[in-house]
Amino acid sequence: MITLKTKEQIAKMKAAGKILAECHRQIAGKIRPGVTTMEIDRFVEDFLASRGAIPEQKGYHGYPYATCASVNDVICHGFPKDEPLNDGDIVTIDMVVNLDGWLADSAWSYAVGQVSEEARRLLDVTKRSLYLGIEQAVVGNRIGDISHAIQTYAESNGYSVVRQFIGHAIGQEMHEEPQVPHYGPPHRGPRLKEGMVITIEPMLNIGTFACKIDPDGWTARTADGSLSAQYEHTIAITADGPLILTEQ
Ligand code: MF3
Ligand code: CO
C-alpha cells in the first residue's frame, strides 16, 4: 500500500532530514587518511543523541551499527571497522535518522585524501545521476521516469547500475511502497503523487553490476572487485516539485 504524507508529516521528516544533512557535513570534515569508520560511527551515535534523534539502522533486522560504511568495492551495507581509511579510498556513509518517529535516509560517498581520476569521475557521475533522478520526481511522472534517467546517464558514462538494491518510499517505516529501482524503462510503474516520500539512492559500479555478499551476511561487494559509489537523498513529491528533505 502506498501511503501519502500530509504537509505536517513531511515537516517532521524534514526535521529529521535537517539533522541528517548536518551530520553528513560534519562527517565530510572528518574523513581523511587514518580515520576509522568505527570512529565515524561513534561520532554519528553521539551527534544524533545530542539532537534527540535515534540511529534507525541499529538493530534493523539485526544490523549492528548506526551507519553503513562501504569502502571501495563495497556497494552497500558495509560494517564500520577499526581499520584506518587509506589515502585514495572512497567510502560511502549511509544512515537513517529517526526523530520523534519520523525517518530520513541519506548516503554520501566521500573521497579519502587524493583519489584517482577514475574514482573522482565515478563519484561525480554517481552524484549527478542522483540529481537527474530527482528532477524526474514530479507529480504526474512515474517511478520508471526516475529509474530511466539514472540508468541512461550512468550507462552513457560507461558505468553499471546496481540491480539488487533499490530506493523505496519511507515514513514511519524505513522501507515502504513503492520500490524505486535505478534502472528500467520510462513511463512505467506507479504514478507519482503529491505527498509521496521516497529515497533515490543509485549505486554505480565501474565494472559489472553483479554483487556478492560477504560471510557476515550484510556486506555487498562488486563481483569483479571494481569500485562502487552511492549518493542518496530522501525526497518529498510536492505540488511545487521535488523537495529534498536531506539537503538543508
Ligand atoms: N539506509 C539503507 C537504505 O538506503 C538501509 C540500510 S539497511 C540497514 O535503504 F539494515 F542497515 F539498516
Ligand atoms: Co540509506
Side-chain angles (χ1 to χ4, degrees), residues 33-191:
V35 167
T36 73
T37 48
M38 195 63 86
E39 287 164 1
I40 300 292
D41 191 75
R42 271 193 232 107
F43 163 77
V44 168
E45 288 234 18
D46 293 347
F47 180 86
L48 296 186
S50 77
R51 302 299 165 104
I54 296 166
E56 184 74 6
Q57 291 187 160
K58 197 169 178 173
Y60 182 83
H61 291 285
Y63 186 79
Y65 301 101
T67 60
C68 299
S70 303
V71 179
N72 293 336
D73 64 319
V74 178
I75 296 167
C76 63
H77 304 165
F79 286 178
K81 293 215 163 55
D82 287 315
E83 231 170 89
L85 291 168
N86 293 309
D87 190 50
D89 284 346
I90 60 172
V91 56
T92 305
I93 307 292
D94 185 10
M95 75 188 87
V96 178
V97 170
N98 178 333
L99 183 69
D100 301 329
W102 291 90
L103 307 180
D105 187 357
S106 176
W108 216 246
S109 287
Y110 297 95
V112 182
Q114 277 302 115
V115 300
S116 67
E117 225 3 79
E118 189 189 37
R120 183 75 261 163
R121 189 170 161 271
L122 175 68
L123 295 175
D124 293 345
V125 170
T126 307
K127 190 194 284 187
R128 177 91 183 110
S129 79
L130 165 61
Y131 284 89
L132 289 172
I134 292 172
E135 277 180 19
Q136 296 298 319
V138 295
V139 173
N141 266 3
R142 292 181 186 270
I143 290 288
D145 296 313
I146 299 171
S147 314
H148 187 69
I150 292 169
Q151 182 178 19
T152 303
Y153 183 69
E155 292 182 352
S156 73
N157 278 282
Y159 300 133
S160 69
V161 176
V162 170
R163 310 295 204 254
Q164 202 165 330
F165 304 95
I166 58 180
H168 48 89
I170 181 167
Q172 290 186 288
E173 300 291 333
M174 192 189 299
H175 294 135
E176 299 182 357
E177 284 173 54
Q179 300 188 329
V180 184
H182 307 105
Y183 60 93
H187 320 309
R188 301 285 172 84
R191 181 97 49 195

